[in-house]
Amino acid sequence: VHGFPLTLNQSPIIGDCLALAGDAAHRLHPLAGQGLNLGLRDVAVLLNIIGKRESFRKPSDAVLLRRYERQRQGDTSALLWVTDKLKKLFSASSNTERQLRNWGLGLVNKSHFIKQRLIERALGDIDFE
């Protein structure tokens, strides 16, 4: 049986006439179950940019690829950061850390407002300009 370590990683998502999306562009811990959603948002943004491109630009134009990279940077970086922090939170070994984690999760569970914001963030509404 072979495997690979679950590590936080973000590759450059553009190269020479190339745009990476999903797991090819970033690798995150499956703890939050957001890898597929992140990849789907990558594809949606890329398709939107290509669909609205200027008529003289090819889909592989470096300007379009940079637009894609800029638009995906915030969402991707934020999700990678949150996922990494969740992994560390759930791997805490001290009683104090576990109690704080459980208290915080209980607070989130009781708060409709917080849960709704987390759900909205996980769904990742894409604002197409």
Side-chain angles (χ1 to χ4, degrees), residues 1 9 14 21 25 32 36 42 60 63 73 84 111 125:
V1 174
N9 181 301
I14 63 168
L36 176 63
D42 288 347
S60 61
V63 170
Q73 187 175 11
D84 184 55
S111 171
D125 292 336

Side-chain angles (χ1 to χ4, degrees), residues 25-41:
H26 28 74
R27 186 172 64 226
L28 62 153
H29 196 286
L31 175 73
Q34 290 298 307
L36 176 63
N37 292 347
L38 189 61
L40 292 174
R41 290 193 301 270

Side-chain angles (χ1 to χ4, degrees), residues 32-34 37 41 75 79 82 108-109 111-126:
Q34 290 298 307
N37 292 347
R41 290 193 301 270
D75 182 29
L79 190 56
V82 167
V108 168
N109 192 41
S111 171
H112 177 72
F113 177 79
I114 295 173
K115 279 197 287 190
Q116 193 61 39
R117 298 296 85 68
L118 289 172
I119 290 168
E120 289 170 4
R121 182 68 185 125
L123 292 174
D125 292 336
I126 300 171

Side-chain angles (χ1 to χ4, degrees), residues 17-76:
C17 301
L18 173 73
L20 298 177
D23 289 341
H26 28 74
R27 186 172 64 226
L28 62 153
H29 196 286
L31 175 73
Q34 290 298 307
L36 176 63
N37 292 347
L38 189 61
L40 292 174
R41 290 193 301 270
D42 288 347
V43 171
V45 168
L46 185 58
L47 289 175
N48 183 60
I49 288 170
I50 291 171
K52 292 183 175 180
R53 74 183 186 276
E54 297 88 348
S55 60
F56 61 89
R57 293 195 192 280
K58 293 181 180 180
S60 61
D61 190 295
V63 170
L64 298 176
L65 297 176
R66 282 194 300 276
R67 285 179 194 166
Y68 167 63
E69 184 176 47
R70 279 192 310 272
Q71 285 190 27
R72 295 305 300 139
Q73 187 175 11
D75 182 29
T76 301

